[in-house]
């Protein structure tokens, strides 16, 4: 029996880590927001700032973490991150003031950034090329699946309180997450393997090197020796900036909905907290369906065009969420938004890897977070501020959906860049 390529183990363990992070914090944060508003009386804008702080940490640390992964590998960062993440959740269970909440959530965000989808994606990009989109889809499937279990977090909050729920989440994160983190490895070369698990290229003789006129066949690892963009070269391309701005536009909607959807459905549309949380799971159900769809279509269509289509799905979904006249429209809108999110998500890293190569991908992805963070920060804060000012989310959500249309145009414009010419090495006798 053929041995399973180790890269798939990394994708599976990374997926499980994203499941934990998504279920316990990323998509459960909206439930914490709804509970803390009711118990503490804190404003939506103040609580949105915590989500923005998490995104700011990822952006500030992104280039540093990307450089560290390119230079030293990812396994140590992932292991430390899951421990810090768990400690932060336990600290959050003890807070009394808004500033204590910010401090505890800062620790949570720090740990989360060290085993985030962004960081684990760098490892997967190093292990895969021909099946890269499939592997990245597997990674993000865990995050989508975790969102489906947000109702479990809501149930524990309802029966045991949010403090015990937060403390227990930290314990579970460390006990389950650390063994998974030990599975992550940076590059196949570190384990004597090759990208995609292909047979190693045969050693070329002097005559072969001098006379070769064609590329090596795609069935050997030599296909992966082509030169990649350097960080400086990537920054000089329009594709880098268009992809980053388009990605930021998508996150304006995604993060705003993640933070505020439960509160909007409860307060503006008139449903109970339990029903609102159940509706919210439709987003993650759609996300899971979108990820599975990406597994099928990943390498069959032009990725930037798929991303543009997903942006339109986001826009329609957010508008439907905002003005839903009944439960059927609300359910369809949340499901459509989730499908667009799940299908688009893996394509963001896959497009950049396809365009810029493997060698500096950690730093390139890290630098892109300095732009996408404006979507992470701006979305929830803008929607929360509009809700505080106008008394509902209609203006904020509508404006974010309008901006999303421009994001679709940016993706369409982001065509593959041409690798700059390099001087040929001097001839030797």
């Amino acid at each position: 029996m053929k041995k399973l390529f180790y890269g798939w183990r990394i994708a599976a363990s990374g997926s499980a880590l994203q499941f934990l992070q998504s279920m316990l914090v990323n998509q459960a944060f909206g439930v914490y927001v709804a509970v803390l508003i009711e118990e503490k009386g804190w404003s939506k804008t103040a609580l949105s700032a915590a989500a923005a702080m998490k995104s700011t940490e990822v952006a500030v640390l992104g280039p540093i973490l990307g450089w560290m992964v390119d230079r030293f590998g990812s396994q140590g960062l992932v292991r430390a991150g899951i421990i810090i993440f768990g400690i932060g959740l336990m600290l959050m269970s003890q807070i009394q003031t808004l500033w204590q909440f910010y401090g505890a959530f800062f620790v949570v965000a720090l740990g989360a950034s060290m085993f985030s989808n962004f960081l684990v994606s760098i490892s997967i990009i190093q292990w895969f090329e021909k099946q890269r989109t499939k592997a990245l889809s597997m990674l993000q499937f865990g995050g989508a699946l975790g969102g489906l279990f947000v109702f479990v977090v809501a149930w524990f909050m309802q029966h045991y309180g949010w403090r015990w729920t937060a403390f227990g989440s930290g314990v579970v994160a460390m006990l389950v997450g650390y063994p998974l983190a030990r599975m992550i490895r940076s590059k196949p070369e570190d384990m004597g393997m090759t990208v995609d698990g292909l047979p190693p290229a045969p050693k070329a003789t002097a005559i072969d090197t001098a006379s070769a006129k064609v590329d090596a066949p795609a069935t050997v690892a030599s296909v992966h020796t082509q030169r990649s963009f350097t960080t400086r070269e990537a920054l000089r391309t329009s594709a880098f900036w268009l992809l980053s701005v388009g990605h930021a536009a998508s996150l304006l909607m995604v993060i705003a909905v993640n933070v505020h959807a439960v509160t909007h459905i409860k307060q503006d549309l008139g449903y109970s907290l339990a029903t609102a949380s159940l509706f919210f799971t439709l987003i993650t159900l759609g996300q899971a369906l979108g990820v599975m769809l990406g597994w099928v279509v990943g390498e069959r269509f032009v990725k930037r065009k798929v991303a543009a289509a997903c942006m339109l799905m986001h826009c329609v979904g957010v508008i439907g969420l905002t003005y839903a006249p009944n439960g059927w429209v609300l359910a369809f809108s949340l499901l459509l938004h989730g499908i667009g999110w799940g299908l688009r998500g893996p394509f963001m890293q896959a497009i950049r890897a396809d365009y810029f190569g493997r060698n500096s991908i950690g730093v390139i992805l890290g630098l892109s977070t300095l732009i996408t963070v404006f979507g992470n920060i701006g979305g929830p804060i803008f929607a929360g501020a509009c809700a505080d000012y106008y008394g509902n989310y209609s203006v904020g959500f509508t404006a974010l959906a309008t901006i999303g249309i421009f994001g679709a145009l940016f993706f369409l414009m982001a065509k593959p860049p041409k690798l700059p010419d390099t001087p040929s090495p001097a001839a030797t006798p």
Side-chain angles (χ1 to χ4, degrees), residues 32-58:
Y32 281 103
V33 168
V35 172
L36 289 172
I37 287 174
E38 184 174 347
E39 178 179 318
K40 299 289 187 180
W42 297 336
S43 71
K44 301 178 182 69
T45 305
L47 289 170
S48 299
M53 179 181 63
K54 179 177 184 294
S55 302
T56 303
E57 276 194 68
V58 173

Side-chain angles (χ1 to χ4, degrees), residues 53-63 65 109 113 116 118 366 369 376:
M53 179 181 63
K54 179 177 184 294
S55 302
T56 303
E57 276 194 68
V58 173
V60 172
L61 294 176
L65 292 175
S113 65
S116 64
F118 151 70
T369 64
N376 286 330

